[in-house]
Amino acid sequence: MKVLITGAEGFIAQNLIVRLKELADFEVVTFSRLESIEQLPLLVADIDAIVHLAGVNRPPTPEEFISGNTGLTEHLCNALLSSNRTIPVIFSSSTQAALDNVYGKSKLNAELVLRAYAAKSGAAVYIYRLPNVFGKWSKPNYNSAVATFCHNIANGLPIQINDANAALSLVYVDDVVDAFVGVLTNKQEFHTAEFCNVPVQYQTTVGQLAQQLQAFRDSRNTLITEQVGTGLARALYSTYMSYLLPKAFAYQVPKFDDPRGVFVEMVKTKDSGQFSYFTAHPGITRGGHYHHAKTEKFLVIKGQARFGFRHILTDETFTLLTSGDLPTVVETIPGWSHDITNIGDDEMIVMLWANEIFDRNRPDTIASKVIHS
């Protein structure tokens, strides 16, 4: 399928272009503000679909809303009608099309132009009234609070909040792209009456947005990660990370040295424990304690290890041998004292997960030796 994307320099278009180029069945043709509208008849001559993303939302004069939104859409539809072909169009309108302002009216009029084209040609037109779209490559200090806040917080700049309780309706650019690709591949259409919907939308406030992004920033110091695996937090975290400069791609974490080796904490979670690693020199034993409730998972990633266990009531003992050559997770069990010894000739490196963040005031770590036969 050959797809023409207008507004090709915009951040939604850039995300869509990348996605379509990843798919084998698409050829992308682009139209941007650098090109003349006189080229439109030639561009639409042999395409199969259009994703119309071009528009203006911060022009120097109000008149440019009309020329940049309604006017360009008129030129595009005239070119389509002149081609005598039935070409479907996906259009990124705005929720402001329902409001009484110059920008909203220009978007509404563009919708009407497209509906007239659909009526004359019989072509399908998919109109998405998008709320605030956020994601990677969105321009800060332009028309997106998410982009501006991400850029400033990620780079140590102040942010300005006029009303922390102001509501924000958001859609993530990947979900927008998914919706568009779904229409192009006839796999899904999301309609509410006369409009299409991006199925995943988020509601938050300006204050909550700022707090979440600041928590992402602070996690490098506290090591406590936010719950970034699903939903809005996942999308915001991905967006926030995209605004880091290359010099900020890496950061150091504390390292604790002693004669046995080193211990390094990597990341902590709010409700699912923490990850760390430690080393041990040949012949060194680490551990020698038990827990009442805490559990751990050990994975030797380099070297050879002997795990020893002793039940603190029955004195039953158990020994396990593992190595980095055969990845094996060894779990510690409440009520069993345990230790780990490097029985190899080289440094041993062990990854460790504990089901809770270490609390120095209540460590749940009681010294108790393991007797080895």
Side-chain angles (χ1 to χ4, degrees), residues 40 52 65-81 87 89 91 93 97 104-127 129 194-195:
L40 286 174
H52 183 29
F65 279 124
I66 305 302
S67 62
N69 293 325
T70 309
L72 176 59
T73 304
E74 289 175 338
H75 283 289
L76 177 64
C77 288
N78 288 335
L80 290 171
L81 290 170
I87 302 172
V89 180
F91 177 52
S93 187
K105 289 179 180 178
S106 70
K107 281 294 192 179
L108 175 60
N109 289 333
E111 293 176 4
L112 296 176
V113 170
L114 282 163
R115 292 196 190 283
Y117 158 71
K120 290 179 181 178
S121 67
V125 170
Y126 306 90
I127 297 176
R129 281 192 171 180
E194 56 186 334
F195 299 105

Side-chain angles (χ1 to χ4, degrees), residues 7-19 53 136-138:
E9 294 181 324
F11 103 97
I12 298 177
Q14 289 174 336
N15 279 271
L16 177 60
I17 290 168
V18 168
R19 180 74 66 83
L53 303 175
K136 65 182 181 298
W137 307 328
S138 180

Side-chain angles (χ1 to χ4, degrees), residues 29 47 62 82 85-86 95 100 112 135 149 161 219 244 255 297 332 350 356:
V29 179
I47 60 168
S82 298
R85 300 177 63 235
T86 303
T95 52
D100 186 18
L112 296 176
F149 282 10
I161 299 176
S219 67
L244 292 175
K255 180 175 72 171
K297 295 179 186 288
T332 62
V350 182
E356 60 187 48

Side-chain angles (χ1 to χ4, degrees), residues 7-322:
E9 294 181 324
F11 103 97
I12 298 177
Q14 289 174 336
N15 279 271
L16 177 60
I17 290 168
V18 168
R19 180 74 66 83
L20 292 180
K21 287 183 176 180
E22 294 167 356
L23 303 175
D25 297 330
F26 287 95
E27 179 183 350
V28 174
V29 179
T30 62
F31 176 81
S32 73
R33 69 185 64 185
L34 301 177
E35 296 162 295
S36 169
I37 58 174
E38 306 302 326
Q39 295 179 269
L40 286 174
L42 180 62
L43 288 175
V44 303
D46 65 344
I47 60 168
D48 302 304
I50 295 174
V51 184
H52 183 29
L53 303 175
V56 296
N57 49 33
R58 269 196 171 186
T61 64
E63 291 75 20
E64 291 185 53
F65 279 124
I66 305 302
S67 62
N69 293 325
T70 309
L72 176 59
T73 304
E74 289 175 338
H75 283 289
L76 177 64
C77 288
N78 288 335
L80 290 171
L81 290 170
S82 298
S83 73
N84 294 316
R85 300 177 63 235
T86 303
I87 302 172
V89 180
I90 299 171
F91 177 52
S92 64
S93 187
S94 167
T95 52
Q96 292 201 42
L99 302 180
D100 186 18
N101 60 55
V102 179
Y103 172 66
K105 289 179 180 178
S106 70
K107 281 294 192 179
L108 175 60
N109 289 333
E111 293 176 4
L112 296 176
V113 170
L114 282 163
R115 292 196 190 283
Y117 158 71
K120 290 179 181 178
S121 67
V125 170
Y126 306 90
I127 297 176
Y128 285 80
R129 281 192 171 180
L130 299 175
N132 298 284
V133 185
F134 71 98
K136 65 182 181 298
W137 307 328
S138 180
K139 184 178 179 181
N141 302 306
Y142 185 58
N143 67 339
S144 168
V146 176
T148 301
F149 282 10
C150 283
H151 172 268
N152 286 17
I153 292 172
N155 294 286
L157 302 172
I159 61 173
Q160 179 178 341
I161 299 176
N162 296 322
D163 180 3
N165 295 318
L168 279 177
S169 181
L170 303 172
V171 288
Y172 183 43
V173 70
D174 282 12
D175 294 322
V176 174
V177 169
D178 284 344
F180 291 173
V181 172
V183 172
L184 291 170
T185 56
N186 296 314
K187 291 183 178 179
Q188 52 191 355
E189 299 174 15
F190 305 106
H191 293 272
T192 57
E194 56 186 334
F195 299 105
C196 299
N197 260 347
V198 177
V200 182
Q201 299 193 21
Y202 303 106
Q203 305 300 321
T204 188
T205 68
V206 172
Q208 290 169 343
L209 169 65
Q211 289 176 1
Q212 180 66 90
L213 298 176
Q214 288 162 342
F216 295 155
R217 175 200 62 198
D218 295 343
S219 67
R220 286 192 167 190
N221 295 320
T222 66
L223 303 186
I224 301 176
T225 185
E226 295 292 292
Q227 295 172 314
V228 294
T230 59
L232 178 58
R234 170 185 174 272
L236 284 176
Y237 186 61
S238 174
T239 304
Y240 168 80
M241 292 296 290
S242 73
Y243 287 88
L244 292 175
L245 297 175
K247 66 181 181 182
F249 284 3
Y251 62 101
Q252 291 187 334
V253 294
K255 180 175 72 171
F256 303 95
D257 274 294
D258 65 32
R260 300 171 299 172
V262 302
F263 178 78
V264 177
E265 293 177 314
M266 177 184 173
V267 65
K268 304 177 183 180
T269 71
K270 292 182 175 180
D271 59 1
S272 298
Q274 68 178 62
F275 293 87
S276 55
Y277 79 88
F278 63 85
T279 67
H281 302 304
I284 291 295
T285 297
R286 303 192 70 142
H289 55 243
Y290 65 87
H291 312 296
H292 288 292
K294 181 188 300 184
T295 63
E296 300 156 314
K297 295 179 186 288
F298 292 85
L299 176 64
V300 177
I301 57 178
K302 177 187 174 185
Q304 296 178 311
R306 180 186 66 204
F307 288 88
F309 297 87
R310 179 179 62 83
H311 196 287
I312 64 171
L313 293 183
T314 66
D315 282 334
E316 176 186 355
T317 60
F318 183 68
T319 299
L320 277 170
L321 301 181
T322 71

